[in-house]
Amino acid sequence: MTTTPAPAEPPSGAMADEAYGDLRAAAALWTGASVLITNEAGEVLVQEVDYRSTRLLPGGGVDPGESPAAAASRELMEELGVEEAVDQALAVDWVAPDAAPTPAAMRFPGELLTVFDGGTWEDGRIAEIRLPPSEITAIAFVAPARLPDLLSPTDARRALSALRARINGAGTALLENGRPIAPTVLDRLKVLSTAPPAYHYSWHPGEAPPGHDIAQVWAWVFAPDGRTLVLLDPETGTAVLPGGKPESRDQGDPASTLRREADEEAAARLGTPLLIGHVADPARPRSCLRYAAALTGIGPTRPDPATGTTYTRILATPEQAVSLFDWGPHTSRQLAAVHQARQRLGIPRAARQAVTELTGTTSW
């Protein structure tokens, strides 16, 4: 079977090199690279520069013939005085010509910008930062929720999307003007756009001290694969563990409080709770208990009768979970106790994987 081109069709054939080059040049984009760096509190490093009123992540333009990863490393040396190789892309963002706040005279053609993972820097590494004599006037580590106030709208969306991609752990996110093409549940609920409540309370193993009021009873509830149940507020994206405030009907039994709250908030059924410790309020004699328990089943979502909120339920590794909270310097101690309890429950350590939303009914 053969076909004949329609008379109106242009003749086919290879495009001449010069014509092809003109076509590619007309479609050229700028190329940039930036680096997302956090401290141990989960705050993001941003820079003040002498040529913009808004702050920026470390980074800049990719030079001719330079790879984005090489450009990111070069910019870290030029802007922070730190030698750091980067090899993990968190996000690749296509920025439309009309999306960036650039003057018309610059004839901005659009940009393809890669955000690399600079990792979490300890205090010693941060102390090595040396700013150049010009361009970078100051740096600061800021809470993720402050990024929209400090960065341009597109830059803030991109930084938060990259941070969520790091937490989610499912690979590089593809963005358009800072917005994910395929949003995850963390993106959809704008997790970390609202500052989580700060509970910088000291961690202690075992029971609360005598005379302390029990203000809250929360639990690390483990699915069989080692991930833990986390509840997200659909309005703010704020994360909480299952649990809540003791009531008279619990008859002073924290395990009863925990089972009731887990059912009311998340329609979750638990195995036998195991007390792992408590956090103490430094201002008054009260504590919040922490338990661990196996998740044996989960029912359909429904509003919490106490608040009317229908929480979004996710499974996340314990490491992913703590990145959603603001628990202060005692977080690592609590996380270590959580893993000890997980082992006592005979539950394996969760493999690194993407966060999963629980929408249906499941039993284990």
Side-chain angles (χ1 to χ4, degrees):
M1 176 178 174
T2 60
T3 60
T4 302
E9 290 182 356
S12 62
M15 183 180 290
D17 290 349
E18 184 175 355
Y20 184 64
D22 289 342
L23 180 65
R24 292 293 296 268
L29 293 171
W30 289 357
T31 307
S34 61
V35 185
L36 182 81
I37 299 167
T38 54
N39 61 13
E40 293 181 294
E43 298 170 318
V44 178
L45 188 153
V46 296
Q47 301 179 153
E48 294 184 31
V49 296
D50 57 14
Y51 56 89
R52 285 182 64 167
S53 60
T54 56
R55 301 189 193 185
L56 298 168
L57 297 183
V62 176
D63 289 341
E66 186 180 39
S67 73
S73 295
R74 173 180 54 77
E75 291 285 349
L76 288 179
M77 176 57 72
E78 293 176 358
E79 296 181 342
L80 301 180
V82 174
E83 184 174 353
E84 185 85 10
V86 293
D87 57 10
Q88 177 62 53
L90 294 174
V92 177
D93 190 13
W94 178 78
V95 184
D98 59 353
T102 54
M106 294 178 66
R107 300 192 302 276
F108 177 59
E111 184 173 18
L112 201 62
L113 196 149
T114 304
V115 184
F116 289 93
D117 191 354
T120 298
W121 289 15
E122 298 178 350
D123 290 345
R125 186 64 161 160
I126 295 170
E128 296 175 2
I129 292 175
R130 297 291 182 270
L131 300 185
S134 62
E135 184 181 354
I136 312 301
T137 58
I139 64 163
F141 282 91
V142 302
R146 293 191 60 205
L147 293 175
D149 297 327
L150 299 174
L151 280 61
S152 73
T154 302
D155 289 347
R157 289 195 300 268
R158 181 186 310 116
L160 283 168
S161 294
L163 181 58
R164 295 182 193 118
R166 179 207 271 185
I167 294 169
N168 195 47
T172 306
L174 299 180
L175 316 177
E176 290 185 359
N177 299 326
R179 298 182 177 92
I181 296 174
T184 68
V185 62
L186 303 182
D187 297 311
R188 193 178 78 243
L189 298 186
K190 298 182 179 180
V191 168
L192 297 179
S193 294
T194 299
Y199 293 114
H200 295 184
Y201 297 164
S202 57
W203 168 257
H204 306 276
E207 297 278 358
H212 270 221
D213 292 331
I214 304 303
Q216 299 282 339
V217 182
W218 293 332
W220 291 85
V221 179
F222 288 98
D225 67 357
R227 290 185 293 171
T228 191
L229 178 63
V230 178
L231 310 181
L232 301 177
D233 187 310
E235 297 297 324
T236 65
T238 302
V240 295
L241 292 176
K245 184 178 179 180
E247 297 181 4
S248 58
R249 55 180 158 163
D250 303 325
Q251 299 182 336
D253 179 19
S256 295
T257 298
L258 183 58
R259 285 196 176 94
R260 175 183 53 78
E261 288 284 352
D263 177 63
E264 292 177 352
E265 293 177 335
R269 299 187 299 276
L270 313 184
T272 302
L274 173 67
L275 178 67
I276 58 176
H278 66 279
V279 293
D281 187 338
R284 46 186 160 169
R286 70 173 190 172
S287 296
C288 300
L289 301 182
R290 294 285 193 276
Y291 281 79
L295 180 63
T296 61
I298 197 157
T301 56
R302 59 176 184 263
D304 179 357
T307 63
T309 300
T310 302
Y311 288 101
T312 298
R313 306 168 302 185
I314 63 171
L315 289 180
T317 67
E319 287 71 24
Q320 288 169 320
V322 297
S323 67
L324 306 178
F325 304 129
D326 183 6
W327 287 351
H330 291 266
T331 300
S332 60
R333 294 181 58 202
Q334 183 172 168
L335 185 59
V338 167
H339 280 299
Q340 292 173 0
R342 173 188 55 76
Q343 291 177 316
R344 291 174 61 188
L345 292 170
I347 296 173
R349 189 183 188 104
R352 180 176 173 81
Q353 58 192 291
V355 168
T356 300
E357 183 176 1
L358 295 173
T359 57
T361 300
T362 305
S363 295
W364 287 280

